[in-house]
Amino acid sequence: MSEARLSADRLLRRLAELAAVGDTGDGGCSRLALTDDDRRGRDLVARWMRDLGLIVTIDAIGNVVGTQPGFDDGVAPVMCGSHIDTVATGGRYDGNYGVLAGLEVIEAVQTAGVPLPRPLAVAFFTNEEGSRFAPDMLGSLAFVGGIAVEAAHDIVGIDGARIRNELARIGYLGGAPLPAAAPHAFVELHIEQGPILAAEGTAIGAVTGVQGISWREFTVTGQSNHAGTTPMRLRRDPLLVAAETAVAVRRIVAEMGDPQVGTIGRIDLDPNLVNVVARSATFTVDLRNTDDALLRSAEARVAEAIEYLAAAEGATVTSRPLARFEPVAFDETVVCLVETVARERGLTVRRMPSGAGHDAQMLARVCPTAMVFVPSVDGISHNPAEHTAPADLTAGAEVLAEVMIRLART
Ligand code: GLV
Ligand code: MN
Ligand code: MN
């Protein structure tokens, strides 16, 4: 039993209350970064932080950190956190769980009066998802100094909005310094978002690192023309190139085998009309691998395939990188601590890499970092059906509490 007694009811209630913001009516949530719904979610969580008496800071990329008061400025906190933005078809746990569990840990520690030599802090980072603005994990990247604030402010989203304008518009263009001072340690609690823990019946994942991520946007340009009058042999159809690229990505990834994955998740046709051969097709390719050399090889093979397919159709290709992050290994001591705490609590635990990107992979650049995973039912995520059993949510939060308390004492 930890010195701090968590309230599972309060955690579940807050998860439900936050999920009501941007509720998509099918069990899911839509709070794309820096939209009005994101603002409403932020306002709610920041209010809960303030109600707890935390010192709440907002930086110039809109990251929000709540820190326990009563410590000297120079004493680095043990920080946890995640994100509260979602993909447009998101579930209610991705990111939100880690933030609200962190809030619950701090509330329980404060209520129990657990004496700690350094403060606990909980953060939510801007635009973790990357669905609206690329790259993903942008807020945590800026937090650790991985991108200049001006460059981050200039990023334009899929809807043409600029980050700085959106931050100002929703009232989250803050003044806290960037890069931020490094925490003493960082722990992110998250749903697994994959099938492994649930399939094995394992309660806790001690996450050893995050695989490398490569996002690139390709635009294939052909010849727009009349759908009825243009003979097939004369067409230069960018959609055909996009479709063949989807097949090529699947083939390349299959040839490479696990853990290589590849996804075309977004495609836009211009002009996208029933009786018009498209002028251009713009689509994204998301490639991930735990081995950076293999990831580079996948990138090269996909680029080569697109060039070949476009040339065969008489089309041209341009591309731009959206995100590129190397694989990250977490701190062995913190990973061990997660395992130890889980075992002491009678929970089954296994080590595993993360398939999804997380803010923790950025924090790992500046302080000892690791993550705690809990099972996702059927491994479903980025989907309104995303679900984790309440008992698993509670178990993960209790592991987080104990890990944070012990880190605060080191
Ligand atoms: C972020 O959630 C990602 O892994 O795409
Ligand atoms: Mn997430
Ligand atoms: Mn996500």
Side-chain angles (χ1 to χ4, degrees):
M1 169 87 74
S2 167
E3 295 152 80
R5 185 181 288 269
L6 305 194
S7 163
D9 283 352
R10 191 166 50 204
L11 172 57
L12 296 175
R13 206 168 52 240
R14 284 191 180 134
L15 277 165
E17 218 178 307
L18 182 54
V21 183
D23 183 354
T24 45
D26 51 4
C29 247
S30 176
R31 289 195 308 273
L32 284 174
L34 310 185
T35 55
D36 288 340
D37 281 326
D38 185 26
R39 173 177 54 77
R40 280 189 276 275
R42 286 164 169 270
D43 289 350
L44 182 62
V45 178
R47 173 163 64 73
W48 285 331
M49 287 176 170
R50 291 192 180 99
D51 288 350
L52 253 186
L54 303 185
I55 301 163
V56 176
T57 59
I58 305 174
D59 63 35
I61 197 69
N63 297 317
V64 177
V65 182
T67 308
Q68 284 189 294
F71 294 84
D72 289 344
D73 278 356
V75 184
V78 171
M79 187 178 286
C80 66
S82 192
H83 60 99
I84 62 167
D85 67 316
T86 73
V87 298
T89 53
R92 50 174 56 196
Y93 302 107
D94 178 359
N96 307 306
Y97 168 52
V99 176
L100 298 184
L103 200 67
E104 180 55 38
V105 167
I106 297 179
E107 180 148 7
V109 162
Q110 294 200 160
T111 305
V114 180
L116 294 176
R118 52 178 75 250
L120 303 184
V122 56
F124 58 88
F125 298 100
T126 295
N127 188 54
E128 189 275 349
E129 292 291 7
S131 290
R132 188 179 182 209
F133 300 101
D136 48 353
M137 284 84 69
L138 179 67
S140 46
L141 183 66
F143 194 81
V144 302
I147 182 171
V149 182
E150 300 73 25
H153 279 172
D154 274 345
I155 291 170
V156 174
I158 53 172
D159 51 5
R162 192 172 292 271
I163 287 209
R164 190 177 200 286
N165 297 346
E166 288 297 85
L167 282 165
R169 188 183 67 79
I170 69 165
Y172 279 87
L173 184 60
L178 279 177
H184 179 65
F186 184 82
V187 190
E188 182 169 356
L189 172 65
H190 206 285
I191 56 167
E192 180 200 336
Q193 307 183 273
I196 295 169
L197 294 176
E200 285 181 356
T202 303
I204 297 291
V207 184
T208 50
V210 179
Q211 65 182 344
I213 300 177
S214 163
W215 287 359
R216 186 168 278 274
E217 183 186 79
F218 292 90
T219 298
V220 179
T221 305
Q223 172 70 62
S224 186
N225 212 334
H226 195 292
T229 62
T230 314
M232 299 310 287
R233 69 178 186 285
L234 294 182
R235 294 187 183 207
R236 292 161 50 211
D237 186 348
L239 174 62
L240 184 74
V241 178
E244 288 177 332
T245 301
V247 175
V249 167
R250 183 59 87 94
R251 178 181 46 76
I252 291 164
V253 165
E255 281 168 14
M256 292 183 68
D258 289 342
Q260 182 64 52
V261 287
T263 307
I264 295 185
R266 169 161 67 78
I267 175 164
D268 297 302
L269 286 185
D270 177 33
N272 204 26
L273 296 170
V274 62
N275 53 354
V276 182
V277 178
R279 188 190 69 81
S280 67
T282 298
F283 54 92
T284 52
V285 179
D286 172 324
L287 297 168
R288 308 195 193 198
N289 199 310
T290 49
D291 179 321
D292 205 53
L294 291 173
L295 184 56
R296 281 199 301 276
S297 151
E299 291 173 309
R301 290 181 66 177
V302 168
E304 192 184 341
I306 295 179
E307 288 293 345
Y308 173 83
L309 295 166
E313 184 67 3
T316 56
V317 189
T318 56
S319 75
R320 65 183 183 113
L322 297 181
R324 183 63 170 84
F325 299 116
E326 289 179 8
V328 170
F330 287 144
D331 184 272
E332 179 58 22
T333 309
V334 187
V335 177
C336 278
L337 181 59
V338 172
E339 285 182 302
T340 304
V341 166
R343 286 206 186 97
E344 283 175 7
R345 305 187 67 78
L347 297 165
T348 47
V349 56
R350 62 120 73 205
R351 287 179 168 235
M352 61 195 304
S354 170
H358 294 290
D359 295 306
Q361 76 192 82
M362 301 307 168
L363 272 292
R365 296 184 185 188
V366 296
C367 66
T369 295
M371 293 186 71
V372 182
F373 273 176
V374 295
S376 290
V377 172
D378 294 330
I380 301 277
S381 187
H382 284 187
N383 182 322
E386 178 181 281
H387 186 67
T388 294
D392 289 332
L393 294 171
T394 308
E398 284 172 348
V399 169
L400 176 69
E402 189 56 28
V403 168
M404 289 185 77
I405 288 171
R406 291 196 197 177
L407 286 171
R409 290 180 172 148
T410 59

